Amino acid sequence: MDMIKTVLITGANAGIGLEAARQLALHEGINKIYLGCRNLAKANDAKSKLVEATGRDIFEILILDASDSTSVRNAAAKLKSPIDAVVLNAGGTGGQTPHKLTDDGVTNIFASNVLGHVVLVEELIKRQLVTSTILYAGSETARGIPKMGVFKPELNSTSIDEFASIANGSKFGSNADPLDVYGTIKLAGTLWMASMSRQHPHLRFVTMSPGGTTGTNGMDDLPFLKKLFFKYIGGLFMPMIGMMHSVEKGAKRYLDGLFDPRFESGHFYASRTGSPTGPVVDQLTIDPLFGDTAAQDNARQAIQQFS
């Protein structure tokens, strides 16, 4: 995938997004990286750190809030020339009000993990502003990690209505634990990606989980005790038992997904059964749902109702 010279990363000012930008800047052939960030001050700080760390001043800030469709469309409108690849990295557990509905009628947690990226990709394709690869940050939670108490998402019918209920939160209710719904939301995003790969065969659509990664910001908005466990206690203990790896390894997976042609369009790659770390495998070998074209298309059609 040597044709990739320019890349846009959402959620680029911290964690895996920031590290992916650093690694990309050191990759041969890359000459421009757009940092998609919500906050200008944090974006400027990230840019300064990246220029210092890499010795390359190739970073351009693009103000983009993945949970706000208007912000996403405004960001796409500011791009003056095509980009080769997009890393849909923004996400997390939905802020302080994960189940509150946005103006589009989806929950905040769904907006930041899926809908904002759907709007971005649709805008880029419509404006002919993306030429090569769309990479979506998947998650092992989309197939379950029982060892970590994260069970396989339960889908009843994989109908358009069911995927719409995931988007607007009615499937879960307003008191659901964001961690319990996160995997189902990531599953919907993964199926959307697979459907898009058949809609747009001239582009690559690769879903790649960065794995269980220490030092990310995705857990910052959890209740205090859960944040304490996952971010701090878990960050020390989990790597010892192979349940988390470094942010460098997480970002390296993104680069592999972008540049290694063995990762096929329309497929979902993540760790093997039982763990969010270790070698990456095609998740179709774990769960046939990931290859179900009817479920993929239903997820896409349901999500597009909100975009």
Side-chain angles (χ1 to χ4, degrees), residues 2-70:
D2 294 333
M3 76 265 307
I4 296 177
K5 293 182 166 53
T6 56
V7 183
L8 164 62
I9 306 171
T10 67
N13 66 276
I16 308 171
L18 181 69
E19 173 60 18
R22 186 192 71 81
Q23 291 186 24
L24 276 167
L26 301 175
H27 194 280
E28 190 178 354
I30 296 291
N31 59 30
K32 181 166 250 190
I33 299 169
Y34 291 91
L35 306 175
C37 306
R38 287 183 298 185
N39 179 292
L40 182 59
K42 289 180 179 178
N44 280 320
D45 185 46
K47 181 180 175 179
S48 298
K49 287 177 181 170
L50 286 165
V51 171
E52 186 177 348
T54 64
R56 301 191 70 198
D57 193 358
I58 60 169
F59 306 95
E60 185 168 323
I61 291 167
L62 191 66
I63 295 302
L64 185 157
D65 181 352
S67 67
D68 179 348
S69 292
T70 302

Side-chain angles (χ1 to χ4, degrees), residues 86-202:
V86 189
V87 178
L88 306 174
N89 164 73
T93 50
Q96 298 295 325
T97 52
H99 305 300
K100 186 178 177 185
L101 294 183
T102 69
D103 291 343
D104 295 310
V106 303
T107 60
N108 280 326
I109 186 170
F110 192 88
S112 57
N113 284 284
V114 180
L115 186 64
H117 289 140
V118 170
V119 172
L120 177 61
V121 170
E122 287 177 350
E123 286 289 313
L124 295 177
I125 291 173
K126 182 174 77 179
R127 295 168 181 264
Q128 296 185 307
L129 285 172
V130 60
T131 66
S132 172
T133 303
I134 290 96
L135 185 138
Y136 177 61
S139 171
E140 283 80 4
T141 59
R143 57 119 218 266
I145 318 165
K147 275 188 191 171
M148 292 180 76
V150 180
F151 298 101
K152 181 179 174 179
E154 286 183 29
L155 295 184
N156 302 317
S157 63
T158 66
S159 65
I160 291 175
D161 285 347
E162 184 169 25
F163 285 114
S165 75
I166 293 167
N168 66 26
S170 61
K171 180 175 172 69
F172 312 112
S174 58
N175 294 319
D177 186 327
L179 283 178
D180 291 342
V181 308
Y182 178 78
T184 313
I185 286 167
K186 281 293 189 182
L187 171 58
T190 299
L191 294 171
W192 163 75
M193 281 284 290
S195 181
M196 288 293 282
S197 74
R198 288 182 286 105
Q199 294 286 312
H200 304 281
H202 66 293

Side-chain angles (χ1 to χ4, degrees), residues 270-290:
S271 304
R272 294 178 295 194
T273 308
S275 172
T277 62
V280 165
V281 299
D282 189 336
Q283 299 297 288
L284 189 54
T285 62
I286 295 174
D287 190 341
L289 174 61
F290 294 116

